[in-house]
Amino acid sequence: MAETSLKRMAGIAWQLPGVLRQAMAIHHGSLLGVSKRLYATMKQRYTPDEALVEGLLNPSLPDEELDRRCSQSTISRIQRKRSPATWRPLISDKGVFYRYCEAAGIPVPPLFAIFSRTTPGWTCKGRLLVRREEWVSYFTKECPPEFVIKPSTGRRGGGIRFLRRTGTEFQTPDGQTFSAAGLYDGMVENRSTETFIIQARLRNHPALEELHGTKALHTIRIATALTPDAKCIVLFAMYKVIGGSAYVDNICHGRTGNIPVGVDLENGIILEDRHDGGNSPMVHPKSGLPLTGYRVPYWREAVALAMEAALKFSPIGMVGWDVAVTPNGPVIIEGNLWFEIFSASDARPILAALAATDARPD
Amino acid sequence: MDADRITRHTRILLQIPVVVAQAVMRHGGHLPAIARKLVLSLKHRYEPREAFAKELLDPTLPDSEFSKHLSRSNMSRIQRQCNPAAWEALLADKSVFYRYCTVCGIPIPTVYATFSKYSPGVTQSGKLLAGRQQWVSYLLEECPPEIVLKPNHGFYGFGIMFLERTHGEFVDNYGKHFRAEAVYDRMMSDKKSDMFVIQERIRNHRDIARLSGSQALQTMRMTTVLQADGSVTLAWAHLKLAGGEHLVDNYRYGELNNLMAGVDTRTGVVRQMLLSHNSKITAHPKTGIPIVGFQIPYWSESRALVERSARKFSPLGTIGWDVAVTQNGPMIIEGNIWYDPPSAPDIADFLAAFRTLIPTPKKN
């Protein structure tokens, strides 16, 4: 048995007791009821942890709910088959991704610089930065006053810093203050990634800013798949609403308090909440404004952009694009190879569309 | 000790007896003197085979000669200090490399299709191909009649096939016939590469073809180094000439009888033959045309091309470009991060190009 399979099984076995205990406490269910559910989810390749955070271990959940969902492992199998391994860094490393997008004419946030812990850094003017003092001078004199620092291989919004320069200091939205040397040292000391990107901070479209009551950038996840006849289809679109005080809109299986809501692909109108059975219109958790029925600005352009990007990244066959709608139109924030199908979506038509567009031998 | 080190040390140990025997045959029977040179070369981080190819095991060579050369291992150290590891992906896989060049507007041979064993392949028009039948019909009906098949991770020209379709069959450069099914099967069963690029076959400028009398595509290795101010230095250039009957121009430690000639980076004129065992040659052994003094066509355009390409691939600090000069101008054939150290008579000028990137480049 492959080492990865053994590791996966060991991980699952390790999770089991804790997950059962938590599920019984959350859903007030019996051990037998929760265990039956757990068994059903594991047959669909959910990990116990994933089934727990997705709320699938509730014994009173109708079986149909399980049928319309899709585990990360199931979708990953399809994603793996549709993306050649050596092409993946084109999307998984943000520095490479943004340089490629810029060269291919795909709108992305302007890239100011790339920092590398072990090699010279790069600035958008072509200059290379080698020493600490050069980076310090870059941050204080050359870099625009508002920017974002992202780890190149970061996931789920981890390690992102939004910064604004005031005088010789840099402030984050939550009030932390850094010197230019502090920013440099922070990147050097961060061992989780080799390179960081420094890029422009984008703003939401004014209509969206009003809806959300926050300046944090919201994105729409638009998942695309290539078809054998050189076309592209959109699998689903989800608006990621920041529910709490976070500055990133990542969902992380609901751990962040952010909420994914479905968007009608035809017209960009936010759909009603499926969890609620569609009985009551959703309202924004922060602004209190109605979400259901809200029409996302620049919708057609956003979908067209995701499809254009998908074709430019062929032969990578499946990508979840995070598209921000800014005052000037849609912009790609990132691409995701291993995107999840959020619980708000019905996975059945998505999987059917993927099966129908699978490039198969005749 | 990590696995890489164990592999390296084992490889070195296995090379020693063969290389010593070869050196004794080439330089005469002074075994202790050759052994001493071998120890010295190991100290300078040369692998035995590399030291032999560079003639460093010659007992008559003064020890000071070592400081004029750079070992492969020390070259890699410099490359690691200049090139972020994650960016290697842009050059390591040829299909990714060609795509990036295409979006950057860098001239390359047209890519007709990318074949992948485990995921659908893609044609120039964006059509996805899966399975034997679709590929066979593509190769027979859609693909242009003359193609080059390159493994995506190939190096030193290994695994490259030159094919021409005639009467529903493919003929390779050795005259061997293949059915389209056999071409597909060959790609599927290749143990070293999961992907292949199917590409246009390029011909050299007539001056270069005449010089070597060969149909092989002969390229120049042009090594660029980015400078801190954003400018690009052409640190080294050499012309790779076909000496034998092979259709690739790689040197491969002299196995293919190909030749390498150092080029003046300012003028594009060949200055000298490289490697001492062919240093006495001044004319091409096959055609008799003088190599030293040969003016490379489209030199200033080639220089401008690699400088522009180097900027597009920044933050990669140093790249060895293989540039083919065709009748219509230069084009990039590939880019190499882990290029071999130049066989320059003196490496000092080459190392000087790294001064602004690495304050003290590591020498032997």
Side-chain angles (χ1 to χ4, degrees):
Chain A
M1 196 183 287
E3 194 187 345
T4 45
S5 297
L6 278 172
K7 269 187 188 165
R8 184 181 142 86
M9 285 175 68
I12 288 173
W14 180 255
Q15 288 171 15
L16 276 175
V19 164
L20 281 172
R21 207 170 40 244
Q22 284 183 64
M24 284 162 64
I26 294 166
H27 304 298
H28 308 292
S30 67
L31 179 62
L32 185 65
V34 172
S35 301
K36 270 186 181 172
R37 273 277 152 210
L38 185 62
Y39 179 66
T41 57
M42 284 173 69
K43 275 211 299 198
Q44 295 195 13
R45 301 184 57 83
Y46 282 91
T47 62
D49 243 358
E50 186 187 1
L52 177 74
V53 294
E54 291 285 332
L56 296 175
L57 299 185
N58 184 352
S60 62
L61 201 73
D63 287 343
E64 202 226 352
E65 185 59 24
L66 202 57
D67 293 341
R68 66 167 209 93
R69 307 272 277 271
C70 171
S71 67
Q72 189 56 49
S73 169
T74 304
I75 192 72
S76 296
R77 274 187 174 185
I78 304 172
Q79 288 160 337
R80 201 172 301 122
K81 230 176 78 182
R82 287 185 175 227
S83 62
T86 50
W87 279 70
R88 291 175 196 157
L90 219 53
I91 285 188
S92 58
D93 185 286
K94 290 186 178 68
V96 178
F97 175 75
Y98 288 122
R99 288 296 306 270
Y100 180 85
C101 286
E102 284 184 343
I106 300 168
V108 287
L111 190 57
F112 298 146
I114 297 172
F115 173 89
S116 170
R117 283 199 296 122
T118 51
T119 61
W122 168 91
T123 69
C124 61
K125 288 178 184 158
R127 218 156 58 80
L128 300 182
L129 305 176
V130 184
R131 297 172 183 84
R132 186 177 190 255
E133 56 271 24
E134 290 170 5
W135 273 104
V136 169
S137 153
Y138 170 78
F139 279 127
T140 33
K141 293 175 192 157
E142 215 179 300
C143 186
E146 205 175 17
F147 57 92
V148 185
I149 297 182
K150 287 182 188 171
S152 284
T153 49
R155 291 180 70 230
R156 303 187 191 281
I160 297 180
R161 272 186 183 156
F162 299 88
L163 294 151
R164 174 189 276 277
R165 187 174 62 224
T166 42
T168 55
E169 289 192 326
F170 297 84
Q171 281 186 333
T172 63
D174 58 1
Q176 286 187 72
T177 304
F178 296 91
S179 63
L183 288 181
Y184 173 87
D185 293 340
M187 290 191 286
V188 169
E189 283 155 20
N190 188 329
R191 299 271 152 180
S192 66
T193 186
E194 195 62 36
T195 52
F196 288 83
I197 56 141
I198 295 143
Q199 71 176 170
R201 183 173 174 192
L202 296 188
R203 298 286 180 205
N204 291 310
H205 188 280
L208 292 173
E209 204 142 287
E210 191 189 330
L211 172 71
H212 300 305
T214 166
K215 290 196 181 305
L217 189 70
H218 285 68
T219 63
I220 311 156
R221 168 70 50 83
I222 302 177
T224 57
L226 297 182
T227 65
D229 57 350
K231 292 195 173 65
C232 172
I233 56 164
V234 175
L235 297 170
F236 66 86
M238 281 280 146
Y239 198 95
K240 297 190 278 177
V241 177
I242 297 178
S245 56
Y247 269 79
V248 289
D249 61 3
N250 302 75
I251 305 298
C252 306
H253 298 292
R255 290 186 188 102
T256 54
N258 299 335
I259 320 152
V261 290
V263 183
D264 190 323
L265 291 178
E266 290 300 313
N267 49 29
I269 288 177
I270 292 180
L271 300 166
E272 56 201 15
D273 186 8
R274 285 174 186 275
H275 289 111
D276 197 30
N279 293 330
S280 54
M282 266 188 302
V283 291
H284 194 287
K286 212 161 184 179
S287 68
L289 294 171
L291 274 173
T292 309
Y294 183 87
R295 188 190 291 269
V296 176
Y298 285 118
W299 177 248
R300 267 197 204 160
E301 289 84 350
V303 172
L305 175 60
M307 291 172 82
E308 179 201 337
L311 291 168
K312 286 183 173 168
F313 274 84
S314 162
I316 297 175
M318 254 174 101
V319 182
W321 304 99
D322 284 350
V323 182
V325 181
T326 73
N328 303 317
V331 174
I332 300 267
I333 300 300
E334 64 180 44
N336 298 274
L337 291 166
W338 310 111
F339 62 85
E340 58 190 297
I341 299 181
F342 298 127
S343 57
S345 292
D346 186 346
R348 286 168 299 190
I350 296 169
L351 295 175
L354 283 170
T357 58
D358 201 9
R360 266 178 290 212
D362 293 328
Chain B
M1 199 186 281
D2 62 40
D4 282 351
R5 274 191 160 190
I6 293 171
T7 313
R8 181 178 140 82
H9 288 171
T10 313
R11 195 172 58 228
I12 288 173
L13 281 173
L14 290 173
Q15 285 175 20
I16 287 175
V18 181
V19 164
V20 168
Q22 284 176 322
V24 167
M25 280 166 70
R26 183 182 287 178
H27 305 296
H30 313 290
L31 188 59
I34 286 174
R36 196 183 146 270
K37 286 286 174 193
L38 184 64
V39 171
L40 202 57
S41 65
L42 288 171
K43 270 189 193 165
H44 285 84
R45 299 179 59 82
Y46 283 94
E47 291 203 7
R49 199 173 165 203
E50 184 189 5
F52 175 70
K54 292 200 167 195
E55 308 264 309
L56 293 173
L57 302 185
D58 183 350
T60 60
L61 205 71
D63 288 353
S64 60
E65 194 66 16
F66 278 93
S67 63
K68 292 183 183 168
H69 297 270
L70 187 66
S71 66
R72 181 79 197 74
S73 172
N74 279 339
M75 183 74 250
S76 301
R77 278 188 180 175
I78 294 175
Q79 288 157 338
R80 247 191 311 275
Q81 284 174 285
C82 296
N83 296 328
W87 284 70
E88 189 185 343
L90 273 186
L91 288 105
D93 180 293
K94 289 188 177 66
S95 65
V96 176
F97 173 74
Y98 289 129
R99 173 65 65 77
Y100 189 69
C101 286
T102 305
V103 300
C104 290
I106 297 169
I108 50 154
T110 309
V111 176
Y112 299 136
T114 303
F115 172 90
S116 173
K117 274 190 205 172
Y118 304 117
S119 58
V122 63
T123 69
Q124 197 183 354
S125 64
K127 226 170 79 170
L128 301 182
L129 299 177
R132 200 170 192 246
Q133 202 175 323
Q134 287 177 15
W135 273 105
V136 167
S137 106
Y138 169 78
L139 288 169
L140 288 176
E141 290 153 27
E142 255 180 80
C143 183
E146 204 180 18
I147 54 172
V148 182
L149 234 67
K150 283 183 189 170
N152 275 24
H153 284 103
F155 58 96
Y156 290 156
F158 286 114
I160 296 180
M161 279 179 91
F162 298 86
L163 295 169
E164 200 168 348
R165 191 178 63 226
T166 44
H167 309 299
E169 269 195 339
F170 288 90
V171 186
D172 76 0
N173 44 302
Y174 300 107
K176 204 172 163 194
H177 288 247
F178 295 88
R179 290 169 60 84
E181 288 84 351
V183 175
Y184 171 83
D185 292 343
R186 185 152 179 175
M187 292 192 286
M188 273 308 276
S189 59
D190 192 289
K191 291 199 174 86
K192 287 184 181 152
S193 191
D194 292 342
M195 291 181 80
F196 284 82
V197 171
I198 299 169
Q199 206 177 29
E200 174 190 15
R201 185 171 170 190
I202 297 295
R203 307 265 182 218
N204 269 131
H205 189 282
R206 60 171 169 260
D207 289 357
I208 295 174
R210 198 163 52 92
L211 175 65
S212 64
S214 167
Q215 289 298 306
L217 183 69
Q218 294 149 98
T219 61
M220 294 179 288
R221 168 60 54 84
M222 301 176 79
T223 303
T224 54
V225 181
L226 283 181
Q227 301 301 308
D229 64 358
S231 63
V232 179
T233 300
L234 178 57
W236 173 251
H238 70 250
L239 177 64
K240 299 189 266 182
L241 285 171
E245 296 305 316
H246 299 275
L247 285 188
V248 291
D249 61 1
N250 306 78
Y251 186 69
R252 278 193 218 163
Y253 296 112
E255 281 168 15
L256 303 181
N257 294 322
N258 290 340
L259 305 166
M260 289 204 306
V263 176
D264 186 321
T265 54
R266 286 175 300 111
T267 60
V269 173
V270 173
R271 279 193 306 205
Q272 79 273 340
M273 297 307 293
L274 300 171
L275 304 176
S276 55
H277 63 267
N278 59 35
S279 62
K280 293 187 183 77
I281 300 171
T282 53
H284 195 282
K286 190 171 167 188
T287 62
I289 299 174
I291 300 174
V292 176
F294 175 77
Q295 171 67 59
I296 290 170
Y298 288 118
W299 177 251
S300 56
E301 289 83 352
S302 303
R303 234 191 116 113
L305 174 61
V306 292
E307 286 174 4
R308 185 161 64 89
S309 305
R311 286 194 188 96
K312 295 280 183 190
F313 278 78
S314 172
L316 288 167
T318 180
I319 297 175
W321 304 95
D322 282 351
V323 180
V325 182
T326 73
Q327 203 56 39
N328 300 319
M331 59 169 65
I332 300 280
I333 301 299
E334 60 182 69
N336 301 276
I337 290 182
W338 305 112
Y339 56 81
D340 288 334
S343 303
D346 193 334
I347 206 73
D349 290 346
F350 173 75
L351 290 177
F354 291 87
R355 259 198 304 254
T356 69
L357 279 195
I358 313 164
T360 46
K362 177 89 184 162
K363 221 169 81 168
N364 289 314

